[in-house]
């Protein structure tokens, strides 16, 4: 029965009349109360759809606004803002906003949280068009719908902060893989690449960092719930009111009266049809009882602190087995944006000229002689195997520096006409081009178009991707001069399994060949750079990022950015980086922690559904 309806009010009034003393026969009948007249039974008028929508909007407006604000707060935890503590507050806020709600209400709250978060995070896509920003944000926000529903369901279980943290891992597990191979941008771990949680990556990779952040956050939310309960006790409110069970008080949404009917607390329908009568005020509890009530809050805060500080106990291996001198060439592009390539061979000539200048500086003693040189993704905009001029220019630069160069180039597929491969090619000064790595995970709608025949008829912008990139079939471990390097191209740094497989295949250091010229000065290069920081700690490897327009960088195995360039400048970085053979615990156990935590999250939802159904069955049996 609707808690704010006239029928409920009438039932309350009838209950009050029934509790009144019965008149004695000896007393005079004067001033006897008139018998209560039952209200005439009128047929219930069904609310129209517009009325139901308006009532729903009024009921959910405040909570939706708070969820959206929390989503924006999470966005500010990521680069270029880098306010990582906001990730804790945002996750805690979502836990509080979904606590005690129905699955459907939690699902909406999750969506309201996710959409503004992704719009802020992915606004660098506006160079393609704001419709691309909104479209991708909407698609990614859909993963927060089951997350919000799961948070609402499991909030009624004992130990709910643990289940909530597992659900965050499950959400990221799904986004990392679906659809079209997934898009893992915006993981909690990527907002915490310089926080106390970061060393957890060496034990369980990015999923364990996400789990630690989510667990600490939901424990803080649990502390807020416990403190709210103490506040209710101190005010003599419903926490001690007759007829209020501890479970009802525990599961009521934050700010709701735990003594109110459960459906009233969950749906806030009293805003639409009048307030539920306040229970009689109870006696204020004693001081010791308040202290006992505050203990759960103290315990939750202590556990949150322990989870946060646990990262400092994780050893991050950095000892070098060997070292190598490298040079990273950033040749720059003709212009930022979608048309960064400019005229043919412009970018290639920029990198050739910067390498020739480096060779002169080495001969003059102004720069140390490198053992190898790294060029970025798309350093050659023409296929050097097909265009002789491009081959000759690369060969000139490599011979001038006298050491192998890892060249990023676009190469026509040798057997599949119309396809192109995004490659890193080891170019030797004596033998020319040799081993190569082909990007395994091309970007959908950026490097290939799914359902091209159907979608190109309705989306003309897809014509800007005239050829599909063909994926590679093996990891990028290659011998480049004296070093065995693992090549990872561009967005692949965001995918756990690609980087992990490269390290386990024998890479002693990692190279991220990338091209962010399209999204320059938008925050996207910073978002990708922090992923290199996390991968360095996760795998105990130095990570070298090479970009034609920046940001190029050298990251130590402990995640320290030792050198970095400015955007849209021509520059060369020279560094001695460590080469390591040992692998971390995260490399040894692989994706096991992620799968286990995600499965626990899903099973906790199943358990919550079973408990809820059992409770309803017991209530019907008692009636």
């Amino acid at each position: 029965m609707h808690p704010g309806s006239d029928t409920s009010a009438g039932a309350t009034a009838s209950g009050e009349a029934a509790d009144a003393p019965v008149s004695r026969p000896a007393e005079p009948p004067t001033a006897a109360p008139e018998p209560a007249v039952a209200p005439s039974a009128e047929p219930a008028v069904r609310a129209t759809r517009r009325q139901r929508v308006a009532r729903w909007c009024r009921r959910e407006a405040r909570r939706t606004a708070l969820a959206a604000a929390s989503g924006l707060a999470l966005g500010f935890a990521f680069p270029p803002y880098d306010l990582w503590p906001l990730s804790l507050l945002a996750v805690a806020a979502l836990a509080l906003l979904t606590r005690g709600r129905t699955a459907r209400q939690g699902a909406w709250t999750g969506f309201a949280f996710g959409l503004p978060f992704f719009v802020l995070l992915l606004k660098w896509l506006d160079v393609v068009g704001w419709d691309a920003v909104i479209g991708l944000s909407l698609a990614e926000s859909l993963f927060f719908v089951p997350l919000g529903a799961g948070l609402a369901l499991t909030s009624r279980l004992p130990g709910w902060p643990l289940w909530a943290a597992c659900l965050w891992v499950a959400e990221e597990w799904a986004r990392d893989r679906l659809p079209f191979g997934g898009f893992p941008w915006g993981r909690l771990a990527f907002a915490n690449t310089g926080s106390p949680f970061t060393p957890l990556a060496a034990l369980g990779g990015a999923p364990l960092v996400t789990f630690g952040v989510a667990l600490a956050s939901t424990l803080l939310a649990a502390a807020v719930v416990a403190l709210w309960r103490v506040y209710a006790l101190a005010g003599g409110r419903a926490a001690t009111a007759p007829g209020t069970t501890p479970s009802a008080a525990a599961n009521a949404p934050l700010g709701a009266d735990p003594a109110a009917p459960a459906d009233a607390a969950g749906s806030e329908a009293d805003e639409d049809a009048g307030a539920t009568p306040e229970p009689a005020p109870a006696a204020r509890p004693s001081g010791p009882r308040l202290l006992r009530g505050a203990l759960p809050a103290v315990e939750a805060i202590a556990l949150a602190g322990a989870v946060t500080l646990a990262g400092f106990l994780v050893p991050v291996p950095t000892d070098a087995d060997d070292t190598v001198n490298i040079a990273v060439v950033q040749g720059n592009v003709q212009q930022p944006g979608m048309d960064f390539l400019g005229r043919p061979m412009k970018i290639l000539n920029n990198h050739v000229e910067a390498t020739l200048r480096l060779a002169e500086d080495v001969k003059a003693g102004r720069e140390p002689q490198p053992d190898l040189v790294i060029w970025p993704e798309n350093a050659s905009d023409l296929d050097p195997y097909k265009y002789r001029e491009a081959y000759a220019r690369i060969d000139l630069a490599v011979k001038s520096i006298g050491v192998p160069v890892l060249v990023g180039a676009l190469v026509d597929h040798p057997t599949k006409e119309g396809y192109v491969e995004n490659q890193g090619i080891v170019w030797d000064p004596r033998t020319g081009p040799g081993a190569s790595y082909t990007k395994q995970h091309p970007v959908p709608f950026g490097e290939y178009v799914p359902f091209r025949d159907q979608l190109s008829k309705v989306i003309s912008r897809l014509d800007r991707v005239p050829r599909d990139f063909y994926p590679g079939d093996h990891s990028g471990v290659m011998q480049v001069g004296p070093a065995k390097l693992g090549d990872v191209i561009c967005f692949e740094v965001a995918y756990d399994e690609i980087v992990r497989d490269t390290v386990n295949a024998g890479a002693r250091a990692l190279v991220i060949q990338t091209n962010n010229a399209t999204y320059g000065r938008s925050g996207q290069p910073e978002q990708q750079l922090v992923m290199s920081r996390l991968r360095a700690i996760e795998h105990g490897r130095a990570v070298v990022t090479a970009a034609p327009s920046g940001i190029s960088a050298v990251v130590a195995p402990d995640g320290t950015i030792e050198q970095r360039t400015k955007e849209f400048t021509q520059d060369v970085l020279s560094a001695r980086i460590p080469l390591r053979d040992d692998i971390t615990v995260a490399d040894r156990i692989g994706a096991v922690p992620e799968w286990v935590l995600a499965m626990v999250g899903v099973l906790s939802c199943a358990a919550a559904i079973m408990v809820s159904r059992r409770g309803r069955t017991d209530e019907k049996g008692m009636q």
Side-chain angles (χ1 to χ4, degrees):
M1 185 179 296
H2 201 287
S5 64
D6 293 338
T7 309
S8 298
T12 306
S14 300
E16 293 173 356
D19 292 337
V22 180
S23 301
R24 296 179 180 177
E27 294 179 355
T30 59
E34 297 181 1
V37 180
S40 59
E42 297 181 0
V45 179
R46 183 180 179 87
T48 65
R49 178 178 297 180
R50 180 178 298 180
Q51 289 173 330
R52 292 196 301 271
V53 170
R55 185 165 59 237
W56 180 87
C57 290
R58 289 195 303 270
R59 186 176 67 233
E60 296 294 329
R62 183 175 61 179
R63 194 177 300 268
T64 300
L66 289 173
S70 302
L72 289 175
L74 181 58
F76 282 110
F78 289 80
Y81 315 103
D82 259 338
L83 303 174
W84 68 263
L86 289 179
S87 63
L88 297 173
L89 299 179
V91 174
L94 182 60
L96 293 173
L97 290 169
T98 54
R99 179 166 172 76
R101 307 286 282 173
T102 66
R104 183 179 299 179
Q105 291 165 339
W108 168 253
T109 303
F111 180 79
F113 177 96
L115 182 58
F117 162 57
F118 282 110
V119 170
L120 178 60
L121 181 75
L122 304 177
K123 64 181 180 63
W124 42 266
L125 267 175
D126 65 349
V127 67
V128 179
W130 273 101
D131 55 340
V133 178
I134 301 301
L136 183 56
S137 299
L138 281 170
E140 294 299 299
S141 301
L142 294 178
F143 290 92
F144 279 72
V145 171
L147 173 63
L151 291 175
L153 286 171
T154 57
S155 68
R156 296 172 173 83
L157 296 177
W160 61 273
L162 176 61
W163 319 131
C166 291
L167 285 171
W168 274 95
V169 177
E171 178 268 330
E172 293 186 358
W173 176 93
R175 273 202 305 119
D176 188 33
R177 293 164 173 82
L178 302 170
F180 308 119
F183 184 69
W185 230 261
R187 299 167 73 178
L188 292 180
F190 295 154
N192 285 268
T193 60
S195 77
F197 300 97
T198 313
L200 295 174
L203 291 181
L208 189 60
V209 178
T210 288
F211 176 76
V213 174
L215 181 58
S217 302
T218 47
L219 284 169
L220 292 177
V224 172
V225 172
L227 290 174
W228 177 261
R229 197 172 302 146
V230 172
Y231 168 76
L233 286 168
R237 294 181 59 190
T240 56
T244 303
T245 64
S247 60
N251 289 325
L254 190 66
D257 189 350
D263 55 345
S267 65
E268 299 177 3
D270 55 315
E271 296 181 7
D272 299 323
T276 303
E278 291 286 342
R284 293 181 180 272
S286 61
R289 185 176 180 186
L290 289 177
L291 290 176
R292 287 195 301 271
L295 282 179
V298 175
E299 293 171 354
I301 293 173
L303 285 174
V307 172
T308 304
L309 299 177
F312 291 116
L313 302 178
V314 178
V316 178
T318 59
D319 294 338
D321 296 302
D322 200 354
T323 59
V324 64
N325 291 326
I326 66 164
V328 182
V329 175
Q330 178 177 302
N332 206 3
V333 298
Q334 184 171 346
Q335 59 189 5
M338 294 287 290
D339 300 314
F340 68 89
L341 287 174
R343 65 178 185 272
M345 289 194 62
K346 174 63 177 177
I347 294 179
L348 174 57
N349 283 327
N350 286 350
H351 288 82
V352 170
E353 292 167 3
T355 305
L356 295 175
R357 192 175 304 113
L358 171 64
E360 294 175 358
D361 291 339
V362 168
K363 291 177 182 179
R366 292 186 293 268
E367 291 287 346
Q369 172 67 49
D371 297 314
L372 60 94
V373 175
I374 299 171
W375 282 10
E377 178 189 22
N378 302 153
S380 177
D381 51 331
L382 296 179
D383 183 353
Y385 299 111
K386 183 177 181 180
Y387 295 92
R388 294 182 179 179
E389 186 178 358
Y391 186 106
R393 293 292 288 170
I394 296 173
D395 203 50
L396 172 65
V398 175
K399 288 180 177 178
S400 69
I401 195 63
V403 297
V405 177
L406 182 61
V407 177
L410 297 179
V411 177
D412 292 341
H413 195 282
T415 59
K416 296 185 177 294
E417 186 176 355
Y419 286 91
V420 64
E421 294 178 317
N422 192 351
Q423 288 191 346
I425 306 169
V426 179
W427 205 292
D428 189 88
R430 293 182 299 276
T431 60
S436 65
Y437 165 68
T438 300
K439 186 177 183 180
Q440 301 175 68
H441 198 304
V443 178
F445 302 102
E447 294 176 326
Y448 77 98
V449 179
F451 312 111
R452 178 183 288 275
D453 293 340
Q454 294 78 19
L455 294 178
S456 59
K457 296 177 182 179
V458 295
I459 307 176
S460 60
R461 190 180 301 160
L462 296 179
D463 294 338
R464 296 185 68 97
V465 187
R467 296 190 298 171
D468 289 340
F469 283 38
Y470 199 83
D473 57 4
H474 62 271
S475 63
V477 178
M478 298 177 288
Q479 190 72 35
V480 186
K484 183 180 286 188
L485 302 181
D487 192 16
V488 177
I489 297 180
C490 201
F491 280 19
E492 288 184 329
V493 69
Y495 295 89
D496 296 343
E497 64 279 5
I498 291 179
V499 186
R500 182 173 57 244
D501 290 347
T502 302
V503 172
N504 285 333
R508 306 181 77 194
L510 292 170
V511 174
I512 312 298
Q513 289 183 296
T514 187
N515 179 9
N516 298 319
T518 301
Y519 310 111
R521 301 194 182 100
S522 66
Q524 188 271 350
E526 288 91 345
Q527 291 177 7
Q528 188 171 323
L529 179 59
V530 297
M531 298 179 194
S532 295
R533 296 187 64 187
L534 185 74
R535 299 309 182 192
I537 296 173
E538 178 180 356
H539 305 291
R541 295 293 187 270
V543 179
V544 179
T545 299
S549 61
I551 302 171
S552 301
V554 177
V555 182
D558 63 357
T560 302
I561 299 177
E562 296 185 335
Q563 296 186 58
R564 60 177 290 173
T565 63
K566 295 181 180 179
E567 292 188 73
F568 298 107
T569 59
Q570 190 174 99
D571 203 349
V572 175
L573 299 179
S574 296
R576 177 182 289 271
I577 64 170
L579 301 176
R580 301 191 69 258
D581 296 316
D582 191 22
I583 59 176
T584 62
V585 175
D587 292 319
R588 290 186 175 92
I589 62 179
V592 171
E594 181 183 28
W595 280 88
V596 170
L597 293 171
M599 290 176 62
V600 169
V602 173
L603 291 175
S604 69
C605 290
I609 293 173
M610 292 177 61
V611 169
S612 176
R613 289 179 176 176
R614 185 180 303 170
R616 287 198 295 267
T617 302
D618 293 344
E619 289 178 2
K620 289 180 180 179
M622 292 177 64
Q623 293 175 357

